[in-house]
Amino acid sequence: MHENVVVKQRVNAPVDKVWSAITDKAQMKKWYFDIPDFEIGIHKQFNFYEPGNEKKFHHHAEILEVIPNAKLKHTWTYPEFSKEKTIVRWELEPDGDGTIVTLTHKGLENFEHLGKDFEKQSFEQGWNGIVGKSLKEFVEN
């Protein structure tokens, strides 16, 4: 069984503004994660931790696909916990004067062996908060 999380959210902002929010590290730091080594480009790699000072979860990612103003796809791994990879895909679609943002995080079954923090429900809650609240509020202001 493939464990995927899909979050679809309409935001009242044009595609180019949403694209900037998900690809500009200065903007990302305000609503998403602080990713100092983020640089847009195929095979570019980046690292980050969850917000706060605990630094329990090192996230590592590699960009797999970039279609400006339409799609950003990258791996999502926790190298200290597992060699397994998952894939996160951001898709942007114009919708009148707004944008439909679809985030898909697939392959979560690869993290099942890591315990409660890595269950599908945990990712669902996280992505719903990130896309449905943080990103939405950031681009609409």
Side-chain angles (χ1 to χ4, degrees), residues 57 78 81-82 108-123:
F57 302 112
Y78 298 96
F81 296 102
S82 174
L108 292 172
E109 69 278 0
N110 295 337
F111 291 157
E112 281 175 352
H113 66 286
L114 298 176
K116 194 168 173 27
D117 287 334
F118 300 91
E119 289 175 355
K120 179 182 178 188
Q121 183 181 353
S122 188
F123 284 98

Side-chain angles (χ1 to χ4, degrees), residues 26-41:
Q27 290 185 46
M28 291 159 72
K29 185 177 183 176
K30 294 176 182 169
W31 69 271
Y32 187 42
F33 293 105
D34 182 10
I35 312 176
D37 61 349
F38 183 86
E39 195 179 322
I40 195 82

Side-chain angles (χ1 to χ4, degrees), residues 128-141:
N128 274 300
I130 287 168
V131 177
K133 186 172 185 334
S134 301
L135 174 64
K136 182 173 170 53
E137 289 174 3
F138 180 76
V139 297
E140 288 182 354
N141 286 328

Side-chain angles (χ1 to χ4, degrees), residues 32 72-76 86-90 103-106 127:
Y32 187 42
L72 174 64
K73 184 164 112 177
H74 59 79
T75 61
W76 180 282
T86 60
I87 304 288
V88 171
R89 185 175 68 230
W90 296 85
L103 180 127
T104 305
H105 193 162
K106 72 187 243 194
W127 286 122

Side-chain angles (χ1 to χ4, degrees), residues 1 5 7 20 24 26 29 31 42-43 54 65 77 94 118:
M1 172 105 184
V5 169
V7 175
S20 289
D24 177 288
K29 185 177 183 176
W31 69 271
I42 302 294
H43 302 300
E54 275 191 72
E65 187 176 6
T77 65
F118 300 91

Side-chain angles (χ1 to χ4, degrees), residues 45-72:
Q45 298 186 26
F46 57 95
N47 300 275
F48 60 97
Y49 290 88
E50 72 282 4
N53 295 320
E54 275 191 72
K55 302 215 179 308
K56 262 188 354 191
F57 302 112
H58 169 213
H59 302 69
H60 176 78
E62 178 183 352
I63 297 175
L64 303 173
E65 187 176 6
V66 177
I67 302 172
N69 294 320
K71 187 194 287 186
L72 174 64

